[in-house]
Amino acid sequence: MTNSFEEAGSEGVGDGTRAVRAGLPEPVKHEPTLPGPVFAAHFHLPGEPTGAYTYGRDENPTWTHLERAIGELEAPGRDGVETLVFASGMAAISAVLFSQLSAGDTVVLPDDGYQVLPLVRGQLEAYGIEVRTAPTGGDAQLDVLDGAKLLWIETPSNPGLDVCDVRRLVEAAHARGALVAVDNTLATPLGQRPLELGADFSVASGTKQLTGHGDVLLGYVTGVEVSAMASVRRWRKIVGAIPGPMEAWLAHRSLATLQMRVDRQNASAQVIAETLRDWPEELGVRYPGLPGDPSHKIASQQMRRFGCVVSFTLPTRARADRFLDALRLVDDATSFGGVRSTAERRGRWGGDAVPEGFIRFSVGAEDPEDLVADVRRALDESAK
């Protein structure tokens, strides 16, 4: 099942057009342009069990539309790309790691990535898999790559916003016979396309900016290597880490505004980062879009947009808490990428090697001048 948008060649259109049209079925008179969610545990299946839809844990038409849409965003115009959707970002991450690795293998993870990765490390080691770690910045994972079967990259890293050279790491990993997976959650496909940079997998939490409204838990894996993706699909079937059809439909619906949301939020994040950088106090601001940021040079070479997350550090935990309490337009909540701005003192969770006063700020779609005024006022009030 294709559509006229795919047949016309989606690689030649803009991000907004692609986001609006991606994954839609061929138009049928009197049918909705985006079909509603298909709620089905099983399908009519006389005779031999062949065809696209047999049982609801394996396939669902609503997933199919979303998977095609994400594939068109991650690798526009490229043949042989497969996307699989999952119940959450961690389900997608786990599917790649546990489908590709077995006892005796070695994997390289970032030591400054998502704060659940230490839990993943413990489970991998319990299964007899060697885990090596190194920081994202400075391409430090290169130093521990020999003998690895899989390299896991998270760039920009969450929450520190360090960036590594994906092309360089991919070339080194492939030369050693290792696969490469890139966590593309923070960048989104509109900010960075790991498969174009040579990676084997692009993995992300669709819970964040991809869907952007804070009302869907979702993850996905996009890949190009047939046997590797077959293993990921088999893992999804075994574990049953599947999204509900309503979540898949909401995610596809939300993709239509992705380019508008991303451009608004990224532009506002740049303004917030500049405001914090120019504040009289030294706040240790990190944002790849700032020319003086340690990540800026390589980010500007491999990213088309720099993301909606800004990080900075206040002197103490108490100051950070006062700052968050003083904000009026920003919710004190975890996660990032939503249309409503959020911020949190990241150290409250544990698992992240950050100072007590470290703030992860997710810039939403509010008017940037209002956000700047809110941040400036909260900084002033919290300093008293």
Side-chain angles (χ1 to χ4, degrees), residues 18-143:
R18 186 178 298 109
V20 168
R21 304 296 307 179
L24 298 181
E26 187 68 29
V28 176
K29 189 175 183 179
H30 305 308
E31 294 294 324
T33 55
L34 176 62
V38 175
F39 299 101
H42 54 262
F43 302 84
H44 286 294
L45 194 65
E48 294 300 313
T50 58
Y53 306 109
T54 58
Y55 185 60
R57 189 183 64 243
D58 298 329
E59 289 288 353
N60 178 289
T62 310
W63 304 353
T64 299
H65 295 312
L66 175 60
E67 288 170 342
R68 288 175 176 163
I70 293 173
E72 290 168 21
L73 295 175
E74 283 280 355
R78 183 168 176 175
D79 294 329
V81 173
E82 181 178 7
T83 296
L84 298 170
V85 290
F86 289 82
S88 68
M90 278 309 305
I93 290 170
S94 298
V96 173
L97 291 170
F98 291 103
S99 70
Q100 304 303 311
L101 299 167
S102 56
D105 290 336
T106 298
V107 62
V108 175
L109 302 178
D111 66 10
D112 53 352
Y114 182 46
Q115 55 102 4
V116 180
L117 287 181
L119 297 178
V120 175
R121 175 178 186 164
Q123 193 61 58
L124 289 166
E125 290 176 337
Y127 288 161
I129 298 164
E130 180 186 353
V131 180
R132 302 174 190 160
T133 63
T136 298
D139 301 339
Q141 289 174 296
L142 286 173
D143 297 334

Side-chain angles (χ1 to χ4, degrees), residues 189-213:
L190 269 59
Q192 180 174 266
R193 295 186 184 132
L195 300 184
E196 290 184 355
L197 299 173
D200 301 288
F201 304 100
S202 181
V203 187
S205 167
T207 308
K208 312 298 193 296
Q209 196 171 21
L210 189 83
T211 56
H213 291 79

Side-chain angles (χ1 to χ4, degrees), residues 220-233:
Y220 70 86
V221 179
T222 300
V224 293
E225 210 283 312
V226 174
S227 63
M229 287 302 294
S231 295
V232 175
R233 179 182 289 275

Side-chain angles (χ1 to χ4, degrees), residues 229-248:
M229 287 302 294
S231 295
V232 175
R233 179 182 289 275
R234 180 173 178 271
W235 180 265
R236 184 177 70 173
K237 180 181 178 73
I238 292 169
V239 177
I242 58 173
M246 189 65 188
E247 285 77 9

Side-chain angles (χ1 to χ4, degrees), residues 260-274:
M260 291 182 282
R261 291 186 282 106
V262 165
D263 281 353
R264 172 64 171 253
Q265 291 171 254
N266 283 211
S268 295
Q270 184 76 31
V271 174
I272 292 293
E274 291 169 355

Side-chain angles (χ1 to χ4, degrees), residues 331-348:
D331 296 329
D332 190 342
T334 195
S335 198
F336 58 84
V339 291
R340 289 173 290 279
S341 294
T342 61
E344 68 172 336
R345 190 180 62 79
R346 191 62 186 165
R348 65 182 177 171

